[in-house]
Amino acid sequence: MADAVIAVTGEGPTDYGHLIFDKKNGPQWEWGPVLDLLENCIKDYEIEDRPDFRQVRKEELKDVKLLRSDRGLKGLAVPARKFK
């Protein structure tokens, strides 16, 4: 099991993929070219533990709130974002 989970989203099927409805197996996710790009980055940077990539549809992002927090940051640091 991966230590890191990366949420991947995009504008459409040409970015990150799309959902296919299969009568036999139910809904299946078909990844777009972004997964190939991420896999190439893993190889280029010689990352040993492959993170777990999870697709997030635009409709699901409405339920996610991004909050800004500047607690503990000093200088020119950009406020961190965290999921609530």
Side-chain angles (χ1 to χ4, degrees), residues 11-81:
E11 289 296 320
T14 57
D15 292 338
Y16 76 112
H18 61 279
L19 196 59
I20 298 174
F21 294 97
D22 185 352
K23 291 181 182 178
K24 189 175 185 178
N25 299 321
Q28 303 289 319
W29 185 260
E30 183 175 286
W31 282 99
V34 72
L35 186 62
D36 294 331
L37 175 69
L38 294 170
E39 293 286 352
N40 287 338
C41 291
I42 289 171
K43 290 177 190 172
D44 290 346
Y45 289 100
E46 299 175 358
I47 298 172
E48 293 178 14
D49 294 331
R50 182 187 183 277
D52 184 18
F53 298 110
R54 301 214 182 136
Q55 71 281 0
V56 178
R57 294 182 296 139
K58 265 171 73 171
E59 297 83 27
E60 295 173 21
L61 289 178
K62 294 175 186 173
D63 298 332
V64 175
K65 295 180 182 178
L66 292 176
L67 302 176
R68 292 185 178 266
S69 172
D70 59 359
R71 229 174 315 154
L73 298 178
K74 296 179 183 177
L76 300 175
V78 177
R81 292 183 179 177

